[in-house]
Amino acid sequence: MTQPNRITFILASASPARKRLLETVGIQPIISPSDFDESQIQDSNPVQLVQKLAQAKAEVVTQALINSPKLQGEIILVLGCDSVLAVEGEIYGKPANIEEAIARWQTMRGQVGQLYTGHALINLSTHQTLVYCQTTNVYFANISDSEIKAYIATGEPLNCAGCFAIEGKGGLFVEKLEGCHTNVIGLSLPLLRRMIQEFGYNITDFW
C-alpha cells in the first residue's frame, strides 16, 4: 500500500455535499470544478449518461493537471461524478427554474425514483481510469401542493439533481431508500472505497 502523504485526491466538482462526504471519511480533497458543458453529452440510458458525464468531468480536470510541475512525482487521483434521477422512464437533472421544480415534484410525489450516480476515478500516475455507476431507489412521499411550493421556495432543490436534497429539508419528503444512502447525496462511499482498492491503495491511506 502507498504511504498516505503521497496521495493527492482531487474532486472535479464544486458540490459542497460531495466535499463534506469525503471529509467525513478522512479524505481532504482539492476542489477543482471541471465546468464541463453537460449539454455536450446526450444518452437515453441513465447509467451510460452519468458514466459518460462523470468521465468527461474527470478528464477535463486531469488534462489541466498533467503538466503541472508542482504535482510531479505525486500519486494523484481525480474523481468526477454526475447524478440524475429517473421517474417512470424520464431522466431528470437539476431543474431549470421554480416552475419546472414544482411540476417535477408533482410528478415525483408518491412515486419510486432511481437515483443514478456515475463515478469516474483517474489515476494520473498510472494512466488508469475506472468508471462505475451506483443506483439507489428513492421512495417519495405523497406530499401536497402547498408542501411542494414551500419546499421549492427554500431554494434547496434548485441546485440538486432530482430536485431534492436528502441531507436537507428534502429528507422529510422521502419515505425510504433502497441501496446506498450516500449515493443519493452525490457520491457512493462504499463504491469509492472499492475503486480506490482496485488501484491498489486503501481508503485508510488518507487518514
Side-chain angles (χ1 to χ4, degrees):
M1 294 294 177
T2 313
Q3 295 301 311
N5 60 0
R6 291 186 56 206
I7 303 177
T8 297
F9 194 99
I10 297 175
L11 178 62
S13 169
S15 166
R18 291 190 179 111
K19 178 175 182 287
R20 284 194 299 269
L21 281 175
L22 291 170
E23 291 173 341
T24 298
V25 296
I27 296 176
Q28 301 298 321
I30 294 173
I31 305 303
S32 182
S34 68
D35 296 323
F36 179 76
D37 180 6
E38 297 182 9
S39 66
Q40 294 182 52
I41 296 178
Q42 304 290 327
D43 199 307
S44 59
N45 182 307
V47 173
Q48 294 180 12
L49 176 62
V50 294
Q51 288 185 160
K52 289 176 183 177
L53 286 167
Q55 185 169 353
K57 292 176 180 180
E59 287 176 347
V60 166
V61 172
T62 297
Q63 286 301 315
L65 291 169
I66 284 177
N67 299 317
S68 175
K70 65 180 180 180
L71 295 178
Q72 296 301 315
E74 291 189 40
I75 293 170
I76 303 166
L77 302 183
V78 179
L79 177 67
C81 294
D82 191 82
S83 300
V84 298
L85 178 75
V87 179
E88 296 185 316
E90 289 292 323
I91 299 175
Y92 300 110
K94 295 177 182 178
N97 49 51
I98 290 173
E99 292 73 24
E100 183 177 314
I102 291 172
R104 178 92 58 83
W105 260 100
Q106 288 172 337
T107 298
M108 288 162 45
R109 62 182 170 190
Q111 300 292 327
V112 181
Q114 290 72 46
L115 196 291
Y116 300 89
T117 299
H119 300 65
L121 191 64
I122 297 177
N123 187 337
L124 270 71
S125 309
T126 60
H127 306 290
Q128 293 172 287
T129 300
L130 297 174
V131 184
Y132 291 105
C133 176
Q134 183 72 280
T135 307
T136 305
N137 289 329
V138 184
Y139 289 73
F140 295 105
N142 192 12
I143 61 178
S144 66
D145 284 347
S146 62
E147 287 174 311
I148 289 173
K149 291 175 182 177
Y151 179 45
I152 304 305
T154 68
E156 179 183 276
L158 298 175
N159 293 313
C160 302
C163 203
F164 74 101
I166 189 74
E167 73 277 20
K169 297 179 179 67
L172 294 167
F173 306 132
V174 173
E175 297 287 356
K176 69 174 181 176
L177 301 175
E178 285 179 349
C180 179
H181 173 83
T182 61
N183 188 56
V184 182
I185 302 176
L187 164 59
S188 172
L189 292 176
L191 176 57
L192 176 63
R193 174 179 54 80
R194 294 193 296 271
M195 293 173 78
I196 288 173
Q197 287 176 336
E198 277 198 57
F199 280 151
Y201 313 123
N202 198 303
I203 196 77
T204 59
D205 292 341
F206 294 93
W207 298 352

